[in-house]
């Protein structure tokens, strides 16, 4: 998959150093993946949640952080829409971000 944009993850890691390694691991796995359906993601990420509009919520760093992506399955593109703490996640509308 092509992940847009890694810069978002790096910027978040500056503010939350304990998220750097888990986000790097997720990024490495995502860029090697070829997800064609949500079920393929669920097979590898058991705790992933799926929202309308091809959005997926990943628990990062032992569920300390949340990562929301929007996936264009036919083109193999993953758009990072949000990365934040649980408190920040609770303040947004995940289906709309």
């Amino acid at each position: 998959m092509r992940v847009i944009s890694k810069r978002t993850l790096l910027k978040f890691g500056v503010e939350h150093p304990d998220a750097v390694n888990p986000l790097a691991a997720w990024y490495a796995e995502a860029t090697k993946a070829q997800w064609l359906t949500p079920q393929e993601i669920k097979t590898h990420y058991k705790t992933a949640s799926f929202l309308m509009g091809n959005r997926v919520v990943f628990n990062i760093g032992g569920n300390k952080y949340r990562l929301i992506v929007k996936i264009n399955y036919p083109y193999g593109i993953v758009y990072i829409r949000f990365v934040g703490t649980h408190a920040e996640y609770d303040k947004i509308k995940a289906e709309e971000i």
Side-chain angles (χ1 to χ4, degrees):
M1 305 297 286
R2 193 168 122 210
V3 178
I4 300 173
S5 137
K6 185 178 183 178
R7 184 175 2 152
T8 303
L9 301 178
L10 295 173
K11 183 179 174 184
F12 187 78
V14 169
E15 297 173 16
H16 303 275
D18 60 328
V20 170
N21 289 336
L23 287 171
W26 177 88
Y27 180 84
E29 291 172 1
T31 56
K32 292 177 185 171
Q34 294 180 353
W35 299 318
L36 299 175
T37 65
Q39 186 56 43
E40 291 178 4
I41 296 170
K42 193 67 167 178
T43 299
H44 187 71
Y45 295 96
K46 305 286 186 214
T47 62
S49 300
F50 298 89
L51 308 174
M52 294 183 66
N54 289 330
R55 285 174 174 76
V56 183
V57 180
F58 294 94
N59 297 318
I60 301 293
N63 205 20
K64 186 172 181 181
Y65 303 106
R66 292 279 176 105
L67 171 66
I68 301 175
V69 302
K70 182 174 182 176
I71 301 177
N72 184 322
Y73 292 98
Y75 289 95
I77 301 174
V78 177
Y79 299 95
I80 296 173
R81 306 296 295 155
F82 171 85
V83 60
T85 65
H86 269 273
E88 293 166 336
Y89 175 82
D90 290 341
K91 294 177 183 176
I92 65 165
K93 293 183 180 180
E95 299 84 12
E96 297 175 8
I97 196 159

